[in-house]
Every structure is written in C-alpha cells, then in structure tokens.
Amino acid sequence: MVAFKLLTVALVAGSAVAQTFRRTASCPKLGCVFPPDQVDFVAGQTFDIRIEVQAPVNGSEAYNNGKPDPNFSVKIGGEGAELMDVTTFFGIADPAVESYNFTYYEDLFASQAGAKTPVNVLAKSYRNIQLHNPGKYKVVLTYNGGMTTEATWEVLPLSDCKKAKNVIVFIGDGMATSMVSAARLLAHKTVNGRYQSRMKMDEAPAYGSQMTHSLDSFITDSANSASALFTGKKMTVNGLNAYTDSTGKGFANPKVETVFEMFRRITGGQVGIVSKAYIADATPAAVCTHTSQRSQYTAIIEQYLNGVTGNFTWFPWQGVDLLFGGGAENFLAGPGNGNVSQFERWASHGYQVGYNNTQLQAFDNAERALGLFTRGNISTWLDQHVYKDTLDFAVTPQGARGAYDQPGLKEMTLKAIDILHTRAKARGTGFSLMSEAALIDKEMHVQDVDRALGDLLELDDTLRATLKHLEEIGELEDTLVVVTADYGHGCTADTKFLEAQTADRAKRNAVGVYQNSGLSAYTVPEGVLPTNHTQFTSPQGDGFPVTWDPRYTIAHGWAAIPDKREDFKINSYHERIPAVSNTSGYFFNPQDNPAGFAMTGNIDVSEGQGVHSLVDVPVYAWGPGHELFRGVMGNVDIAFRLAEALDLGKTSNVTAPYTK
Amino acid sequence: MVAFKLLTVALVAGSAVAQTFRRTASCPKLGCVFPPDQVDFVAGQTFDIRIEVQAPVNGSEAYNNGKPDPNFSVKIGGEGAELMDVTTFFGIADPAVESYNFTYYEDLFASQAGAKTPVNVLAKSYRNIQLHNPGKYKVVLTYNGGMTTEATWEVLPLSDCKKAKNVIVFIGDGMATSMVSAARLLAHKTVNGRYQSRMKMDEAPAYGSQMTHSLDSFITDSANSASALFTGKKMTVNGLNAYTDSTGKGFANPKVETVFEMFRRITGGQVGIVSKAYIADATPAAVCTHTSQRSQYTAIIEQYLNGVTGNFTWFPWQGVDLLFGGGAENFLAGPGNGNVSQFERWASHGYQVGYNNTQLQAFDNAERALGLFTRGNISTWLDQHVYKDTLDFAVTPQGARGAYDQPGLKEMTLKAIDILHTRAKARGTGFSLMSEAALIDKEMHVQDVDRALGDLLELDDTLRATLKHLEEIGELEDTLVVVTADYGHGCTADTKFLEAQTADRAKRNAVGVYQNSGLSAYTVPEGVLPTNHTQFTSPQGDGFPVTWDPRYTIAHGWAAIPDKREDFKINSYHERIPAVSNTSGYFFNPQDNPAGFAMTGNIDVSEGQGVHSLVDVPVYAWGPGHELFRGVMGNVDIAFRLAEALDLGKTSNVTAPYTK
C-alpha cells in the first residue's frame, strides 16, 4: 500500500520534463553538485568540485522569473562530523562566481515547435583538490532560498598492499560477448563441437563482466565509458574525465584524475598509449586528458604533451612516454592547428617521431616516441593481411595514397612494451600501457562485421604475444594485464544460393537457423566441409581463419541498425557504407551489398550507422591482482581494482619525481 | 607455404556436398561412430555405442552402387593398449545387424530440384555400457573395404572428493547476457549510474560463461543444449540425451546417461523437475529422457515415469520424484495417448496430483507429486502479476478458460525443495532439482521482450528466495546452486512521441541512441523523471519494476528477426504475434503493434518468429563446488563440474538402492 501511495503522489507531482532533453546531467533539482551523489574515489585522487544554481525562465521548472539566488553555499563534512564550508575544509580560496545562461528543449514536442527554455546560472568551481581519508563524505548545496542538493561521496578503503608493478589495459572497443563468440568460431576449429584451439582470452585465470551504462544514459560512447574505466566516475556522452556542466563549453568543466595519471604522479612510472584509431580519439584520450567535448582534438593532443593548462590549477603533467596510432592529420601544420606542426614540436620536446612500421621498429627503446602511421584510422587487420588491394585507400601521414608498411596492433604494442620497459628499468619505476583495438567498434558501426571480427582476433593475437613477450623480458610476474570492452554492438547464410536468387524474399531463404546454421566454414579451405577433421593452417597463422569468404558465412545482425542491404558476404573491396543520406535521412545504400536484400533499420533515420547496445561486456585478467577482476562488476570498478592492484590508494600518497 | 599447399589440395578434393544438408551428423566419412570423436565421459557414465556403414547410391559420395560392405568391424582400446573387438572389451554379445536406407538432399539446389540421394546402411548398436577407468580410449571402425573412422574418447580424471550433497540447476531458457543487462535496468534503479540494488545473479561468488554451440551446428535448440549441459555430450537439434542416427526414428538411437540419472542411480537421491513450459518440453525432458525427437511427448512422459523401455537394455528408472509445470493436454485420456489418463495412471503409481497453486501448496511433503497447472505453458509472470486481464486466455488443465490460481516459478520451486528435502532426509540421501524459467525463450521468439524480461526477473526472484529458503531449512551449506542458460536471443524509445507521428520514418525518430537513450524509467512511477533520486517501491516488491509501461522504454532489437512491426511499447493485451503467414511465407502482422513502424526481418521468410543466437551465455554458482564454475567454459563442462561437485565420477561407482 505504501508503494501505491507513492505512485499516486508521484503522478500528481510529475512534471512534463522529458528525460532525453536534460537540463544538465546529474542535476536532479535546480542546484547541481559535481562530482554528483553516490560517487566513489580512490584515496588521494585529484578532482574539481563545481556547483551550479539554475533558474529556468519558463517551462515546467520556471523559478523566480529566471533569477537564481546569489546567496548560495556549499558545505562538506566526513560522516557524522559537522559540515563546514568547502573552502575551509580544503583550505582553499573562495573562487569567483560565474554568471551565464543557456537554453534547452524540454522534450521532442518542444524541440519540434522550437520552444526553448532559457536558464540563468550562477556557478563556482573549486579546483585541484583531494580527499585522503577513507570513509563517507556529505556535500550539501543550499540555494534559491532554502532548496538543497546533497551528494554523498565515498573514499574507498583500498588495501595498502601493492600487487603489480606494471599494468597493461587492452580495450576491445565495442567488443560484446556476442562478438567474442563469433570471432572464436571464425578462427578456431571444432570437431563434433569441441574447439581444437581456444582464444587466449578464453584462458584468462580471472573472468568477469562489467556494466557499461553511463551517468545519465544507458547507451554510452567511448569517451564516457573509457572515463569510467580509468577514473571510476561515470560521465556523460562525449565527456573525457570531466563532467559536462551547463556552460556548453569544452573546457573548465570539473575534472577527475585517471589511474594512469595517478600512476605517473605517485610512482613516477611510464605511461604509454597505443590505438588503431586516430590518436586523439576518445579511448586513447581518456588515458590522461580532460574535456567535456571529445571532438577537441587539438586540445587533446596538447594535453598529451603538456597536461591541462589555462587559467586554473591542475597538477603538472610532463607528457606521455609514447603515443602510437593514426590521425596524423591532427598533427600537421594548418589553420586549425595554429599553423604549428606537432611533429616538429614533439620532436623539439625530445620525442622520436616515426611514420611507418620500419621507423617504429627502429625507435631507440630508451627514448620517448611519437608514432603516427596514417591519416585517420590505421587500416583494419583484414585489409592489412587478407584483402591487401584495399590498402590502395590507405593514406600516409604525409598524405600520399596507396599501400605502405603500416604496423598493426601487435607491432605497436610489443614495441611500446619494449620502450616502456627499458625506460622504466632505467628509472627504477613501473610502466603502464593502454592499448586499444579500436576498429572493432568502428567497423561494427558500418555493419562490417568481418572487419570488426578481424580486429578482434588481432587483439587476441596481440594479447597472446604480449603475455609471451612479458615472460621473455622477465616482467610477466610483475605485470597485471586486463582485457575488457567499453560497450557492445549487438545467424549463417548460404551465400552461393543467395546470389543465385533474384527476388529479395527468395534470397532470405539462404539464411540458416537452428540445425541449418551449420559449423564454421571459416576454419576449412573453400570446398572442404567443416565436418572434415583435418586441422588446416590459416595463411595468417594460428588464431585466424583459413578462409574469410566461405560459401557458408555467419549472418550479420544485431541490436540497433540503420537501413541496409544484406548479402552476408564479406566486402573484399572496401569497408561497408550501409546507408546514404538524402533530404529526409538515411536510406539503404544501393551500392552496398547490391546482390543482397534490403532490410529496414530500427533506429532514427538520422543515423547512418549501427549504434552501441547496453549489453554487459566481458573482463579478462592475468598476473598479480588478476583475482580482483572476477565476477559481475561495474565499469567504474575497473578503475578501483586497477588502483588497488597498483596500490594507488594509500591514505597518504607522495608525489614521486618523474624523469622525462 | 604448407598452409597454401593444403589449401590447393583441398580445393581440388572439395566435394559439392553442402554442410547444411548433412547426410548424418558426426559422420565425416561413410562410417559413423556414436558417441563421436573427441567426446568426454564421467567415469561410470552409461551410454550406447552405435556404428553405421553407409553407401550413397548417387551424388558426390556415391559408393559401390549403394551397397555397403557387410564385413565391418569395430575395435576399442585404452591409450597405448592393443585394440580388441568391442564385444570382447565390454564382455557383451554381438548385436544383430540392422539394414535399411534413407534419403537426403545434398544442398539447397538439390532440394529445389527435388534430386534426392538414397543411402543404404548397415548398423549395430551396443547397449548400456560404461567406462570406469580414467584415460583416453581409441575406437576404430573398419568398413567398405578398408576405410576407417576413428574416435578418441576420454574418461575424465575427476577428483574423488564430494563437495555437495544436493544440487539445484536453474535454466534461464534463452537468457543471454544482453537479456540480463536489460532485466537489470528494468528492475533496479540507478542514481548517477550507480545501481541502488542488484540482481541476485550479480552477487554470485562464481561467475563464468559457456559456449552454447552444438555437435553439428552453431545455433542450438533447447533439446541439444540441455543435453550438453546435463550429459556432457553435444547433440544434434531435437536430440534429447540421444545421438541422431540415420534411421529417422525417434527411439533406439544411441543414448547417454545424464548427471541427474547418475545421481539417482549412484546415490539413490531425489530427482525433481520444475518448468513454466509444458512439462514434456525439451529442457525438462533433458533431465532424464532419451529420444532424438523432442516432439515425442507421450514417450517422454512415459520415460519420466518408467524410464527407457522397449526391446533393448537400459538401466532401470523408478520415476521422477516430482514434476511441476504446464502441458496438461499431454496427460489427458485421448486418441494420441492410448485413451489413458496419465493423471490417473500416475496417481495409481503413488503420485499426489494437483492442478492449481492451492493444491500444490497442500501437497504432503513426504510423498511424490505431479502438478500440472495449465494446458500449454504457464502464464508469464507479467500476465500473472501485472496485466491480469490477459489471464482470461489461460486454460486450466481441465480445459476451462479464464483466470485461476496458477503458481509461478517461485511457488513451484520452493514447494519442490520442501518435498525433495523432506523425502531425501527420510531416506538419508541428497536431492537434485532442475528448475526452468522457460518463458524467457518463448517470449523472445515472439519478440515480446517485456514478457521475456518479466520471467527473467521472476527467475532472479526465485533464486533469491531459494537461497534464503535453503538457509532456513539448514541445507544452504550442502547445496550447490547453478544458474545458466542454454543459448541467447539477441535501444530506448519515446513512445509518446512515436504514437503522435503518422509516418513510419518519423516514428523512428523517437528511438533514442547515445545520450538520448536515457535512464531506466521502469524504476520510477509514470510522470517522474528517472533522475529523481527517491527510491520507489514496485507494487510487486523488490526486484521488479515500478512501472512496466513508461513513456521512455527500452527498444527491442536483436540478432535474428522476422518481419515485424515495432512500437517499442509493451503489449498489455496479449503476447506478440509479430508475423503472419500467407502463400509465400511470413509477413508483418498488421494487427501486431499497429501504431508502430514496419521492419523487414533478416531471417528465412518461412520463420515467423525470432531465433536463437550463438552468443556465449552466463553461468552463476553458489554453495559447495561453486568455484568450479568460474571462467570461460563449454556447455558440456557444466555436466562434468556438476558430476565433480557431486562426486559421481568415482572410478568404481556402486548403484545405490532407491526407495520410491
């Protein structure tokens, strides 16, 4: 009966405000506290506090003709202790009040009608602070004549016992369990249902699962999901280790320190970043940069080198130790880049600079390095290794088009380990590396599952090589290796039969379900049945398919898709472009899979690609502290478990010297 | 280069035979051995051996004008030991030779052309045998003038150390990780991304993942996947603890004993079966029945009561101790059932019989019980608890239509535990129970994700109640509880906006992605934003949504779908019927989601429902032996880990007496 009463009251009190058109994330009332309620911290983790007092001029939350009360205050205290002013508590000066306004739509109807709601804001930010003592803290913002917004934070009681000296985190971007299942069957042969070989991931001594939802939406992007993994704080879409406040600006948002930054600050250790994406992309950027707008590539690159600068305090950052990936276009001298060549600038800061795999392999392991091996994203594993004709589309950092010696994830990762290890050894520290299999996601967006699975297998191959290499250099016992994803995306077809039919509906008869789905024909040569027990070797070696283009293929289908044409065959000529736009949104691309059948999408027609799903994603761990990564957890728990394994949460952290 | 050579040879040797039209599963050549190559056994597990020698009359494998060689032999030996005739090895008589023929199509083209391939067969079956000594065994069939088919089997070296006295296995039929993720967000509230409560499954001390593919296809059905879970042997679609041979008949196929049968045979323990499906359905049937055709309902029910009968040997079975579920139609006296009422027959065998929840709860815990609470499947949790008007469609066992007091999964499971526990205690044995949340799968087939998620939450609620009840009756420390699935199936929408649009493409604009996907509005009353931090109580209690019909819903989308209409709203009136058939296959059902938009399916137009996927599914375990269920495993490993925890693999099993 209590529940029913609550329901009735709530129905009466319910406003017309729509959740998909939020005034500001994590502001349940007109006063906002960042970091928000129910956030955990590593002891000594650096962060900013921001408070906002808002007054909408009109709409369902209109307040005082849009005039926020200037007499607001924010207090903080440990559990049970008296609250005191935040400036007193932290021993910091009272910052200046910001005054500004923004507008938003309350819902789709308001948006359709162009009926904006203006909101006036007063705000303050308290910068570069830390909480060292484990326990709960209460924050109370009082504003607008007695309204309050409260937040409870907890500094976690982490064990004071170092398990790992080094850490390597692999991110399979968009790698849901269904992708791992599919990749396994492509590359690993079964006999009567028994796998004759397994993915390296399958052998992890610790296996878990993590929930990927973000602060204010269930479907995340790479920026806020990676920020959650690396800071232990859920963010808003597009946010990189910074909460999205109401300013609409990309900088000066409230920031949170990542475990990689803490590792550098506290231990003086090496930090390296590897990605197959353009290197200013969200996942690599989440290692150590701070902005609510992931598209601020120039600023992200600047932060890689010099950390957060500007007219507010943040701890000093002496630059990443290595940066390997794509995206050379953001490093070229040009109008959008202040006519400065970042290549020359980084070289002047002591970085070796390389543009192809030969130069990568020739890097001196004792020196810092910048390796940008392409414009845009590095070519997919499939394009690099199987359908090499497609490399004619590749673009060198200098802008030339055509095939050249690009590295893959494995080449970049192993060289990164050599450099980080050599430099760490010389300085008596450990090392940390984030290596991203970025194209799993990017290829799933364009519904090109073959290319996505190729890069997933490349990740598994890289993982296998990494564990072997760590053993060779004597660091296996000291290195925690974690593999996970940031979110998910997410049948069999007789392609020969499909191609032979002319009508759309007849083509679909080629899709097999249940017993007609068959075995994986990727592990046998064309023309050999998968029931054949012979172990065939892939031209690309163990861990890869024998053929990528069998008559019987896995059919591609998942959760959130645009209009597209499907023929369930690999596109050997180019990555897919499933939909093309016209004046009323995206439609089937008639040039994509022209022999296939048309399939209506299930997402907004303004989206031309598939989108992320909310599925939990797997976690695999090896090495010291691996046992912390078992079971079902949240994405934020990854950060806390990394911090625990690396002992970054000692109640009194000491900042260690770092030698470039 | 070796790989390339193999490829070339294989291409030349490749036949035109298509894998989706298999001659016989697990017969890579013209001689077949069941159990097939690379199968593992629990020490002392009972099974049949069957060999077949085949000769196709025409087609790409034509042999000797279709005349198989009668001079075939089958030998077996331990690793390194001399092979001996299978009759000598097992000390059994040589069985009679069977001679028959069957026909099949080599591929879709042959099928389209009606060009059949006849195959003549000679076969023998060796019944009711066991291997007790751990280690590898080699089986060699020699036939057709010197051809050989070999199989290597392994009797696993299980530890001789009992961990658990009782076992409860929950099967969430069709419960992929994506379903768990979705169910969690429906029922459990988040504040700034932090769950305020968790599913019981999330708290499991052991978490793993299992691969669901079957013997001869990657997409499984409930029969062969449950057989894999319970016997440790992968089967063929429709096969229940029996390999599908070439006879085309449902019985006399080579059988394998399940862990539940072993538990009964070796320990004399209690065996109970609970399902929300009709009780002759595949998952409950896989506990202890044997047929290659899951549709043999009458025979399955007979086997529940009397075990395998007929003119060949199998060990005796004195009947299940309880059977709770739906499917009363298969127990009624009628022409298809020999005009015998199974209700009366089971009563005459000493079973209490009940038809509704009141009678279920009134059962004497000391006596065996048969409870069939509906015709067809028991109503979904959602229909039983939220949209109760739909219970007008329910049918009592006696055939009356309308609402009545049906039990749910929790009521059946808790009563089952009471009966099994009471009876086991009286006999000094342990108990085993298989409880199936069957409707997750059945509702996903008809694209009714709300009803599927309701039954998934009911499973979680049942799990929570089960662990609590085991503690109350003092059996928690002695009971292994495992929760898993057999296979998977597998966005957000502003339904109000969607309904207000008229054009299909405009409706799709209501589907939110990324930041517009929003929070779960299922955990707050209608009209209250999910950003509101108040903890609202569900009318159905903790672990269920506050509302099932919010304006902002999760959108439904997954891997393998028929034509359908989508409005992303719950169907409060009836479960969904996404597609209807006409002369050329299934099309959108215009009466299903009439306010939604049409979406083209991606599967065979002869399928009117969504189908299973190949995704790995989660495993959760509690209690003694739970640690065995960590990490990535195969579905067959579940059986071996259950056997290990229950110590069913002692090298010398003794058959214990069982008291009815």
Side-chain angles (χ1 to χ4, degrees):
Chain A
M1 292 312 289
V2 172
F4 191 73
K5 266 189 193 165
L6 272 173
L7 208 66
T8 314
V9 171
L11 282 167
V12 174
S15 74
V17 181
Q19 69 156 318
T20 51
F21 286 74
R22 287 176 290 278
R23 188 171 21 82
T24 311
S26 76
C27 294
K29 304 182 196 170
L30 294 178
C32 321
V33 175
F34 301 99
D37 189 26
Q38 302 214 22
V39 156
D40 294 340
F41 295 85
V42 182
Q45 185 174 25
T46 310
F47 65 102
D48 297 336
I49 296 175
R50 179 181 177 83
I51 57 165
E52 295 187 5
V53 176
Q54 302 185 347
V57 172
N58 59 33
S60 62
E61 293 183 303
Y63 175 81
N64 192 27
N65 295 317
K67 287 183 193 140
D69 176 13
N71 299 312
F72 59 90
S73 67
V74 57
K75 292 176 184 292
I76 185 171
E79 199 165 26
E82 201 180 346
L83 299 181
M84 60 181 81
D85 195 83
V86 73
T87 53
T88 314
F89 186 90
F90 288 106
I92 53 178
D94 199 29
V97 177
E98 302 165 47
S99 176
Y100 59 94
N101 63 72
F102 69 93
T103 62
Y104 82 116
Y105 294 114
E106 287 202 342
D107 69 2
L108 273 166
F109 293 104
S111 171
Q112 208 172 40
K116 288 183 180 176
T117 294
V119 183
N120 293 310
V121 188
L122 297 175
K124 281 185 184 180
S125 287
Y126 305 86
R127 305 285 181 186
N128 196 29
I129 57 184
Q130 299 174 338
L131 287 166
H132 286 271
N133 296 324
K136 290 199 173 174
Y137 295 81
K138 191 172 184 181
V139 184
V140 179
L141 168 64
T142 306
Y143 60 100
N144 285 0
M147 290 182 182
T148 56
T149 293
E150 295 189 6
T152 299
W153 299 338
E154 184 168 3
V155 175
L156 293 183
L158 297 176
S159 71
D160 199 350
C161 171
K162 189 167 184 162
K163 298 169 193 291
K165 186 176 80 179
N166 315 310
V167 65
I168 300 176
V169 178
F170 286 103
I171 302 294
D173 207 283
M175 182 178 71
T177 302
S178 55
M179 297 290 293
V180 179
S181 306
R184 190 191 294 117
L185 90 89
L186 255 68
H188 297 274
K189 183 175 174 60
T190 54
V191 169
N192 295 322
R194 177 191 285 264
Y195 272 107
Q196 305 298 294
S197 58
R198 294 278 287 272
M199 295 182 70
K200 192 66 191 172
M201 290 182 206
D202 291 340
E203 298 168 7
Y207 173 75
S209 167
Q210 46 111 339
M211 300 176 253
T212 63
H213 59 281
S214 73
L215 177 68
D216 57 345
S217 67
F218 267 91
I219 316 296
T220 63
D221 78 327
S222 285
N224 64 348
S225 57
S227 298
L229 293 170
F230 300 158
T231 67
K233 313 286 173 292
K234 287 176 186 279
M235 306 272 163
T236 294
V237 167
N238 297 323
L240 283 168
N241 307 315
Y243 290 102
T244 302
D245 57 32
S246 68
T247 59
K249 293 176 181 164
F251 303 100
N253 311 86
K255 303 179 293 302
V256 186
E257 191 179 24
T258 72
V259 288
F260 292 98
E261 291 177 291
M262 290 188 80
F263 179 76
R264 164 70 72 80
R265 181 170 61 78
I266 295 167
T267 75
Q270 296 282 304
V271 177
I273 302 175
V274 168
S275 176
K276 283 191 74 178
Y278 57 96
I279 203 64
D281 199 12
T283 308
V287 169
C288 61
T289 76
H290 303 267
T291 170
S292 63
Q293 297 173 359
R294 58 182 277 181
S295 57
Q296 299 279 1
Y297 301 141
T298 301
I300 286 166
I301 291 165
E302 181 63 26
Q303 288 189 36
Y304 281 144
L305 187 62
N306 285 319
V308 173
T309 53
N311 54 355
F312 49 81
T313 318
W314 194 241
F315 58 84
W317 173 258
Q318 302 92 342
V320 295
D321 293 292
L322 65 85
L323 202 58
F324 295 163
E329 66 275 20
N330 297 315
F331 283 68
L332 298 170
N337 204 5
N339 287 313
V340 174
S341 161
Q342 292 292 331
F343 291 119
E344 291 173 17
R345 188 151 165 265
W346 284 55
S348 75
H349 278 70
Y351 287 86
Q352 311 172 79
V353 179
Y355 305 106
N356 56 45
N357 191 40
T358 306
Q359 292 171 349
L360 168 69
Q361 299 308 328
F363 279 151
D364 179 348
N365 289 340
E367 301 297 326
R368 291 176 150 197
L370 173 70
L372 293 194
F373 306 110
T374 184
R375 295 195 184 178
N377 301 317
I378 292 179
S379 298
T380 67
W381 182 91
L382 200 58
D383 291 322
Q384 284 191 1
H385 291 85
V386 183
Y387 295 102
K388 297 184 187 178
D389 288 351
T390 60
L391 290 181
D392 292 344
F393 297 102
V395 182
T396 67
Q398 291 73 26
R401 191 176 279 273
Y404 64 100
D405 69 329
Q406 298 179 51
L409 188 69
K410 184 161 74 172
E411 291 74 28
M412 292 193 289
T413 302
L414 295 182
K415 183 65 180 181
I417 291 170
D418 282 339
I419 292 177
L420 295 171
H421 171 239
T422 303
R423 289 174 51 80
K425 206 169 176 182
R427 288 160 181 76
T429 68
F431 66 81
S432 65
L433 171 65
M434 195 294 295
S435 175
E436 186 201 18
L439 308 187
I440 301 170
D441 172 67
K442 297 198 189 298
E443 295 301 322
M444 289 300 278
H445 277 292
V446 294
Q447 308 286 293
D448 202 326
V449 76
D450 297 290
R451 281 179 174 73
L453 294 177
D455 272 54
L456 198 162
L457 291 170
E458 182 186 35
L459 169 59
D460 199 58
D461 187 50
T462 302
L463 171 66
R464 191 183 303 272
T466 293
L467 291 166
K468 186 164 170 282
H469 191 57
L470 286 172
E471 189 164 26
E472 288 163 354
I473 63 175
E475 294 287 346
L476 187 62
E477 299 300 309
D478 288 327
T479 307
L480 170 65
V481 178
V482 177
V483 183
T484 191
D486 41 6
Y487 43 70
H489 277 267
C491 326
T492 7
D494 180 342
T495 57
K496 192 171 170 186
F497 184 80
L498 192 151
E499 279 186 334
Q501 312 307 311
T502 47
D504 267 7
R505 292 179 69 81
K507 285 175 185 293
R508 289 169 54 192
N509 288 325
V511 182
V513 296
Y514 296 104
Q515 62 269 46
N516 293 333
S517 64
L519 297 171
S520 168
Y522 294 85
T523 55
V524 288
E526 183 65 40
V528 176
L529 281 181
T531 46
N532 183 307
H533 288 196
T534 311
Q535 183 75 37
F536 297 96
T537 307
S538 160
Q540 288 80 43
D542 291 345
F544 293 99
V546 173
T547 177
W548 282 87
D549 194 10
R551 170 171 169 184
Y552 297 92
T553 64
I554 56 164
H556 316 160
W558 40 84
I561 51 173
D563 280 2
K564 57 177 179 170
R565 300 185 66 81
E566 277 301 350
D567 68 0
F568 301 121
K569 283 193 79 168
I570 200 165
N571 299 292
S572 59
Y573 49 92
H574 199 283
E575 78 176 8
R576 293 189 61 182
I577 302 168
V580 288
S581 70
N582 66 16
T583 49
S584 72
Y586 277 88
F587 281 97
F588 314 104
N589 178 359
Q591 262 102 58
D592 190 66
N593 287 335
F597 59 84
M599 192 176 163
T600 329
N602 64 351
I603 58 170
D604 191 326
V605 296
S606 69
E607 293 280 342
Q609 302 191 344
V611 298
H612 304 163
S613 66
L614 68 82
V615 66
D616 295 354
V617 295
V619 183
Y620 311 89
W622 287 256
H626 73 264
E627 65 281 0
L628 298 169
F629 295 87
R630 285 192 173 128
V632 179
M633 63 197 105
N635 51 5
V636 293
D637 293 321
I638 300 291
F640 295 114
R641 292 167 194 207
L642 290 172
E644 184 174 350
L646 294 165
D647 201 15
L648 300 178
K650 278 182 290 202
T651 48
S652 177
N653 284 324
V654 178
T655 297
Y658 169 78
T659 319
K660 276 194 188 179
Chain B
M1 292 314 289
V2 172
F4 191 72
K5 265 187 193 167
L6 273 173
L7 207 68
T8 313
V9 171
L11 282 167
V12 173
S15 74
V17 181
Q19 69 156 322
T20 52
F21 287 74
R22 286 176 290 278
R23 185 171 25 81
T24 311
S26 77
C27 294
K29 304 182 195 172
L30 295 178
C32 321
V33 175
F34 302 98
D37 188 28
Q38 301 215 22
V39 155
D40 294 340
F41 295 87
V42 182
Q45 184 175 26
T46 311
F47 64 102
D48 297 336
I49 296 176
R50 179 180 177 84
I51 57 164
E52 294 188 5
V53 176
Q54 303 185 348
V57 173
N58 58 34
S60 61
E61 294 183 302
Y63 175 80
N64 192 28
N65 295 317
K67 288 183 193 139
D69 176 12
N71 299 311
F72 58 90
S73 68
V74 59
K75 293 178 183 293
I76 185 171
E79 198 167 26
E82 203 180 345
L83 299 182
M84 60 182 80
D85 194 81
V86 73
T87 53
T88 314
F89 185 91
F90 288 106
I92 53 178
D94 199 30
V97 176
E98 302 165 47
S99 176
Y100 59 93
N101 62 71
F102 69 94
T103 61
Y104 83 115
Y105 294 114
E106 288 202 343
D107 69 1
L108 273 167
F109 294 104
S111 172
Q112 208 172 42
K116 289 182 180 176
T117 294
V119 182
N120 292 309
V121 187
L122 298 175
K124 281 186 183 179
S125 287
Y126 306 86
R127 305 283 182 187
N128 197 30
I129 56 183
Q130 299 174 338
L131 287 166
H132 286 271
N133 296 325
K136 290 200 172 173
Y137 295 81
K138 191 172 185 180
V139 184
V140 179
L141 169 64
T142 307
Y143 60 99
N144 286 0
M147 291 182 182
T148 56
T149 295
E150 296 189 4
T152 299
W153 299 337
E154 184 168 3
V155 175
L156 293 182
L158 297 176
S159 70
D160 199 351
C161 171
K162 188 167 183 162
K163 297 169 194 289
K165 187 176 80 179
N166 315 310
V167 65
I168 299 175
V169 178
F170 286 103
I171 303 293
D173 207 283
M175 182 179 71
T177 302
S178 55
M179 298 289 293
V180 179
S181 306
R184 189 191 295 117
L185 90 88
L186 255 69
H188 297 274
K189 183 175 175 59
T190 54
V191 169
N192 295 323
R194 178 192 284 264
Y195 271 107
Q196 304 299 293
S197 58
R198 293 279 288 271
M199 295 182 70
K200 192 66 191 172
M201 291 182 205
D202 291 340
E203 298 168 7
Y207 173 75
S209 168
Q210 46 112 339
M211 301 175 252
T212 64
H213 60 281
S214 74
L215 178 69
D216 57 344
S217 67
F218 267 91
I219 316 297
T220 63
D221 78 327
S222 285
N224 64 349
S225 58
S227 298
L229 293 170
F230 300 158
T231 69
K233 314 286 172 290
K234 287 175 187 278
M235 306 273 162
T236 293
V237 166
N238 296 325
L240 283 167
N241 307 315
Y243 289 102
T244 303
D245 57 31
S246 69
T247 59
K249 295 176 181 164
F251 302 100
N253 312 85
K255 304 179 292 302
V256 186
E257 191 179 24
T258 72
V259 288
F260 292 98
E261 290 178 291
M262 291 187 79
F263 178 76
R264 164 70 71 79
R265 180 170 61 78
I266 294 166
T267 75
Q270 296 282 303
V271 177
I273 301 175
V274 167
S275 176
K276 283 192 72 177
Y278 58 96
I279 203 65
D281 197 13
T283 308
V287 169
C288 61
T289 77
H290 302 267
T291 169
S292 63
Q293 297 172 0
R294 58 182 279 181
S295 57
Q296 298 279 0
Y297 302 140
T298 303
I300 285 165
I301 291 165
E302 182 62 26
Q303 289 190 36
Y304 283 144
L305 187 62
N306 286 318
V308 174
T309 53
N311 54 356
F312 50 81
T313 319
W314 193 240
F315 58 83
W317 173 258
Q318 302 93 338
V320 296
D321 294 291
L322 65 84
L323 202 58
F324 295 163
E329 64 276 20
N330 297 316
F331 283 67
L332 298 169
N337 203 5
N339 287 313
V340 176
S341 161
Q342 291 292 332
F343 291 119
E344 291 172 18
R345 188 151 166 264
W346 284 56
S348 74
H349 277 71
Y351 287 84
Q352 310 173 80
V353 179
Y355 305 105
N356 55 44
N357 191 41
T358 306
Q359 293 172 349
L360 167 69
Q361 300 307 328
F363 279 151
D364 180 349
N365 289 339
E367 300 297 327
R368 290 176 153 199
L370 173 70
L372 293 193
F373 307 109
T374 184
R375 294 195 185 178
N377 302 316
I378 293 179
S379 298
T380 66
W381 182 91
L382 200 58
D383 292 321
Q384 285 190 2
H385 291 85
V386 183
Y387 296 103
K388 296 183 186 178
D389 287 351
T390 61
L391 290 181
D392 293 344
F393 297 103
V395 182
T396 68
Q398 290 74 25
R401 191 175 278 274
Y404 63 100
D405 69 327
Q406 299 178 50
L409 188 70
K410 184 162 72 172
E411 292 74 27
M412 293 193 289
T413 301
L414 294 182
K415 184 65 180 179
I417 291 170
D418 282 339
I419 292 176
L420 295 170
H421 171 239
T422 302
R423 289 174 51 79
K425 205 168 176 182
R427 287 159 182 78
T429 68
F431 66 80
S432 64
L433 171 64
M434 195 294 295
S435 176
E436 186 202 18
L439 307 188
I440 300 171
D441 172 66
K442 297 198 189 298
E443 295 301 324
M444 289 301 277
H445 277 293
V446 294
Q447 309 285 293
D448 203 326
V449 75
D450 297 290
R451 281 178 174 73
L453 294 177
D455 271 54
L456 198 161
L457 292 170
E458 182 186 36
L459 170 59
D460 199 58
D461 187 49
T462 303
L463 171 67
R464 192 183 302 273
T466 293
L467 292 166
K468 184 164 171 282
H469 192 56
L470 287 172
E471 188 163 27
E472 287 162 356
I473 63 175
E475 294 286 347
L476 186 62
E477 298 300 310
D478 287 328
T479 308
L480 170 65
V481 178
V482 177
V483 183
T484 190
D486 42 6
Y487 43 71
H489 276 267
C491 327
T492 359
D494 180 342
T495 57
K496 191 170 171 185
F497 184 79
L498 193 151
E499 278 186 335
Q501 313 307 311
T502 49
D504 267 6
R505 292 181 69 81
K507 285 176 185 293
R508 289 169 57 193
N509 287 325
V511 181
V513 296
Y514 296 102
Q515 61 268 47
N516 293 333
S517 64
L519 297 170
S520 168
Y522 294 85
T523 55
V524 288
E526 184 63 40
V528 175
L529 280 183
T531 45
N532 182 308
H533 288 197
T534 310
Q535 182 76 36
F536 297 96
T537 306
S538 159
Q540 288 80 43
D542 291 344
F544 294 99
V546 172
T547 177
W548 282 87
D549 193 10
R551 170 172 170 183
Y552 296 92
T553 64
I554 55 164
H556 316 159
W558 41 85
I561 51 171
D563 280 2
K564 59 177 180 171
R565 300 184 66 82
E566 278 300 351
D567 67 359
F568 301 122
K569 283 194 78 168
I570 201 164
N571 299 290
S572 58
Y573 49 91
H574 200 284
E575 76 176 14
R576 293 190 60 182
I577 303 169
V580 288
S581 72
N582 66 16
T583 49
S584 73
Y586 278 88
F587 281 97
F588 314 103
N589 178 359
Q591 263 102 56
D592 190 65
N593 287 336
F597 60 84
M599 192 177 162
T600 328
N602 63 351
I603 58 170
D604 191 327
V605 296
S606 70
E607 294 281 341
Q609 301 191 344
V611 297
H612 304 163
S613 66
L614 68 83
V615 67
D616 296 354
V617 295
V619 183
Y620 311 89
W622 287 257
H626 73 263
E627 65 281 0
L628 298 169
F629 294 86
R630 285 191 174 131
V632 180
M633 63 197 105
N635 52 5
V636 294
D637 293 320
I638 300 291
F640 295 113
R641 291 168 195 206
L642 290 173
E644 183 173 350
L646 294 164
D647 201 16
L648 301 176
K650 278 182 291 201
T651 49
S652 176
N653 285 324
V654 179
T655 297
Y658 169 79
T659 320
K660 275 193 188 179

